[in-house]
Amino acid sequence: MKTQILSIFLSSICTSIVSAQHFQKVSGAPWNNINNDSRAVAWIDYNQDGLQDIFITNGPSFGQHNLLYRNDGWGQFTQIIGDPLVTDGDPSDGTSWADYDNNGYVDAFIANWYGQDNLLFQNGGQLPFSAVTSGPIGNDGGHSETGTWGDYDNDGFVDLYVTNSDGDKKNFLYHNNGNGTFTKIDSGELVNDQGASRSVNWIDFDLDGDVDLFVANEFDQANDLYRNDDSVFSKMSIIGFNTDLGNTQSSSWADFDLDGDFDVFVTNFSQDNRLYLNQSPDSFIADLNNVVSNDGGSSFGSNIADIDNDGDEDVFVCNAYSTGPALRNFLYLNNGDGSFTKIDTGAVVNDLGWTFGAAFGDYDLDGDMDLMCANNFNGGQKNVLYRNMESQGQNPKHWVTIRLKGQVSNVSAIGALVRIKATIDGNSRWQIRQISAHTGYCGQNMLPAHFGLGDASAIDSLVIDWPAGSQEVLTNLAVDSNYVVLEGAGIIIGMRSESAWPAGRQGLRENHVNVFPNPAHDRINLDIPAWAKGTIIIYDRMGRVVLEKKHEGEKTILLPEEINLNAGIYFLIFQSVNGSLQGRFIVKAKE
């Protein structure tokens, strides 16, 4: 495959791993010296450079600026200062990111509490973000907790649902009109039920091709599950599932027992949390004998990822807001059958404080899921990034990530179902993910779908069900790769892990081409080792090939006028028998 390249990052942090510790606390980051009253965390690639950036909300009653950290690669982050996105000073809770205008860049929704208007920021591809102050989203004041994007009518544009926990306690639904504007929906149970709603998930729990809605309610109220049938929602009542009365703060959906459908884990404040296993579209059962369901806690957020890359998804739980001392968070490893083992060692479960929101993302592109926690003990605590050390062990397990780009479907591919089939430990096994813009309470995992693959030597099948209704099937794919799949076009970029590099070719191990001048106009210069011969391919940001040529050692490439490169961002891949390199450059507008 000519577009198969190495992952673009080799972390500069090299530490040993204790067998029971999956995470290493990252030091020297820009957030390590700041005490914040933080609520939500989202892993998002806001500038489309292939690296996961970090957005964190802060929510004291008097207001506090939110935080954006650009991932510069090599373990380095830069705090973005002065942008409208991080200077609003409002009391913020949840956040959700998706490309609502389908321009190729994710936009930001931010929920505010204390009667303040919520916030919507449009991403035009380069800073600054633009605050959207017209229309209903940015002019609805309330006591909003969280929100999430989801294309409930599969028209190719993501819609927005927002939860409220006080005031009249009615939640908000905004339909995307496809022209950058929204219409507020006022009819239906979704927006007229009055619960103290904490969090929400769009989830296709019945696997019928459209996203349904699950709303978590506190104060001994039942949670709400609304089935979507051609954009008509009906409220369901499943005994022992959404009829239980509790103090629920959040929900996270995953196929914990590997039977092909989505189960749900809910967190409760000052009560046991609960795992409900999906038996059929109309039947869930509570797994009360599971450690995740009888471990107590004062839980708010939860997040799901396969942290040990063994082929099943694990659970992280955030604990916060008690009248007693600081608390520990929980981490449970899936045993492969939906039962769990609690992890008691390591900083990630022994650091004390309050964590409301957390999220998983592979910030260093080494194939394992790292964890960011948004903390707020007594109104002021440092946020923490924990680097996953699975890939640094002696016998790291295999993995794959799948990044989707919609064309007929919404560009972020929110709501798409991704299935992987591989042979792990001698057993042929399917795994399933849904691309989602929110999980748990105040958390958003990275949009690319991550799968642990254990000892699998290849991926037998990759099946993608796009929101617009089409299905793509790809077979016999390499493991330890970051794939980009364009709807209707298959894989457009595949990036292998650095472990595949031959010894003695250290010049390519960083997998980076220095491209200059940048921005460019009619030429670019390349810093490629003299011994390397191969092919240079240039893509635009939609994955289309705009130039392909042999490289025989020259350092300068003229950009021929017949290519007619428009102003914008371009990606360069150099491929040789010894490996591959990747670079990024900007073309200036012609004067």
Side-chain angles (χ1 to χ4, degrees):
M1 182 186 305
K2 74 178 183 179
T3 55
Q4 195 171 44
I5 66 172
L6 278 173
S7 63
I8 69 173
F9 179 86
L10 178 62
S11 174
S12 61
I13 305 170
C14 294
T15 56
S16 62
I17 179 171
V18 178
S19 60
Q21 289 181 314
H22 292 275
F23 294 94
Q24 182 83 30
K25 189 185 299 186
V26 173
S27 61
W31 52 80
N32 287 138
N33 297 318
I34 305 172
N35 290 315
N36 294 292
D37 195 346
S38 297
R39 298 298 196 271
V41 57
W43 287 102
I44 42 92
D45 182 6
Y46 79 87
N47 55 1
Q48 289 296 292
D49 64 353
L51 300 173
Q52 295 298 316
D53 312 298
I54 299 172
F55 181 71
I56 295 175
T57 68
N58 294 316
S61 59
F62 53 83
Q64 195 174 78
H65 292 329
N66 297 320
L67 304 166
L68 178 64
Y69 300 99
R70 184 185 66 234
N71 187 342
D72 297 321
W74 295 277
Q76 303 298 312
F77 288 84
T78 296
Q79 184 174 356
I80 303 301
I81 304 294
D83 193 276
L85 182 73
V86 292
T87 56
D88 62 274
D90 287 338
S92 299
D93 279 323
T95 186
S96 182
W97 291 68
D99 185 1
Y100 80 78
D101 53 5
N102 286 346
N103 71 342
Y105 296 92
V106 287
D107 311 292
F109 168 77
I110 302 170
N112 288 330
W113 217 73
Y114 298 103
Q116 299 293 312
D117 285 341
N118 295 321
L119 302 172
L120 178 64
F121 289 94
Q122 189 174 31
N123 184 353
Q126 58 184 355
L127 299 179
F129 282 80
S130 300
V132 180
T133 56
S134 61
I137 294 178
N139 290 285
D140 258 348
H143 294 79
S144 297
E145 294 278 356
T146 58
T148 185
W149 299 98
D151 185 5
Y152 72 83
D153 54 358
N154 288 338
D155 65 352
F157 295 90
V158 289
D159 313 296
L160 180 68
Y161 191 85
V162 181
T163 65
N164 292 292
S165 61
D166 209 337
D168 69 5
K169 299 179 182 177
K170 291 183 179 181
N171 298 326
F172 304 148
L173 175 62
Y174 305 98
H175 179 261
N176 191 332
N177 298 320
N179 59 2
T181 68
F182 294 84
T183 298
K184 187 175 182 179
I185 304 300
D186 294 319
S187 60
E189 294 175 297
L190 275 74
V191 294
N192 286 294
D193 284 344
Q194 292 174 286
S197 301
R198 277 284 191 169
S199 70
V200 58
N201 300 123
W202 291 108
I203 178 68
D204 187 4
F205 81 95
D206 52 4
L207 302 178
D208 66 348
D210 50 29
V211 287
D212 312 292
L213 194 72
F214 183 83
V215 178
N217 297 315
E218 61 178 346
F219 300 144
D220 292 324
Q221 294 176 293
N223 298 318
D224 293 319
L225 177 64
Y226 304 93
R227 186 200 298 272
N228 182 357
D229 294 298
D230 296 325
S231 303
V232 177
F233 290 87
S234 55
K235 189 173 181 177
M236 302 189 69
S237 179
I238 301 176
I239 296 174
F241 171 50
N242 68 318
T243 60
D244 287 350
L245 303 182
N247 204 13
T248 302
Q249 307 297 306
S250 72
S251 58
S252 293
W253 293 74
D255 183 13
F256 295 112
D257 53 5
L258 296 174
D259 66 349
D261 53 30
F262 291 110
D263 314 300
V264 62
F265 175 75
V266 301
T267 63
N268 295 313
F269 179 67
S270 296
Q271 296 173 338
D272 283 338
N273 301 318
R274 285 286 184 266
L275 174 62
Y276 296 95
L277 299 177
N278 189 342
Q279 303 299 294
S280 71
D282 297 313
S283 176
F284 286 78
I285 61 170
D287 187 358
L288 300 180
N289 295 320
N290 205 313
V291 64
V292 298
S293 292
N294 54 38
D295 204 22
S298 182
S299 302
F300 280 80
S302 62
N303 236 288
I304 310 300
D306 185 355
I307 67 167
D308 51 0
N309 281 348
D310 65 348
D312 48 52
E313 292 187 276
D314 312 300
V315 177
F316 177 76
V317 178
C318 308
N319 290 312
Y321 195 66
S322 70
T323 57
L327 303 172
R328 291 179 172 86
N329 296 320
F330 300 152
L331 179 64
Y332 307 95
L333 292 187
N334 194 331
N335 298 320
D337 56 2
S339 67
F340 292 84
T341 297
K342 186 176 183 180
I343 301 301
D344 294 317
T345 59
V348 74
V349 294
N350 283 294
D351 283 347
L352 295 173
W354 291 349
T355 303
F356 272 176
F360 285 103
D362 184 9
Y363 81 92
D364 48 8
L365 291 180
D366 63 353
D368 50 36
M369 294 290 272
D370 311 296
L371 176 66
M372 187 78 197
C373 290
N375 300 323
N376 62 0
F377 181 64
N378 284 341
Q381 185 183 353
K382 294 178 177 62
N383 299 316
V384 180
L385 171 61
Y386 299 95
R387 187 189 180 207
N388 192 332
M389 305 304 293
E390 160 63 30
S391 65
Q392 307 303 310
Q394 294 297 316
N395 297 294
K397 303 180 188 70
H398 297 298
W399 54 273
V400 71
T401 64
I402 310 295
R403 178 187 170 199
L404 303 183
K405 301 177 73 172
Q407 295 202 100
V408 180
S409 303
N410 69 89
V411 168
S412 296
I414 302 295
L417 297 178
V418 185
R419 294 177 175 89
I420 289 285
K421 183 183 179 184
T423 300
I424 302 174
D425 295 330
N427 298 311
S428 183
R429 178 187 302 178
W430 282 99
Q431 298 182 60
I432 185 172
R433 306 284 188 269
Q434 178 182 287
I435 307 302
S436 301
H438 183 259
T439 188
Y441 176 70
C442 291
Q444 181 173 347
N445 289 352
M446 69 176 190
L447 288 176
H450 168 269
F451 296 84
L453 294 172
D455 62 354
S457 59
I459 298 167
D460 299 331
S461 300
L462 164 63
V463 179
I464 302 166
D465 290 307
W466 295 92
S470 66
Q471 185 180 83
E472 268 178 270
V473 180
L474 302 166
T475 59
N476 194 28
L477 303 180
V479 299
D480 300 336
S481 300
N482 296 287
Y483 291 111
V484 180
V485 181
L486 181 66
E487 184 178 13
I491 293 173
I492 58 173
I493 298 178
M495 300 182 289
R496 295 188 305 170
S497 103
E498 77 280 352
S499 63
W501 286 109
R505 292 302 191 187
Q506 300 299 320
L508 285 185
R509 274 194 175 272
E510 289 185 347
N511 190 37
H512 179 70
V513 181
N514 185 22
V515 182
F516 59 94
N518 197 354
H521 181 57
D522 59 352
R523 65 181 176 84
I524 54 175
N525 298 309
L526 308 176
D527 184 11
I528 296 177
W531 50 262
K533 302 293 189 293
T535 302
I536 292 169
I537 308 169
I538 296 176
Y539 298 87
D540 65 16
R541 64 179 180 83
M542 296 303 294
R544 296 180 290 249
V545 176
V546 298
L547 176 65
E548 182 173 348
K549 69 185 299 293
K550 295 293 184 181
H551 173 70
E552 299 296 340
E554 68 271 26
K555 296 289 187 178
T556 299
I557 292 180
L558 296 177
L559 302 176
E561 290 197 10
E562 59 265 25
I563 295 179
N564 192 26
L565 295 185
N566 296 318
I569 298 173
Y570 292 84
F571 301 92
L572 181 146
I573 295 171
F574 168 71
Q575 297 177 315
S576 77
V577 296
N578 296 309
S580 304
L581 300 169
Q582 178 168 294
R584 175 177 176 270
F585 63 96
I586 298 172
V587 171
K588 295 187 296 186
K590 295 182 178 179
E591 298 178 355

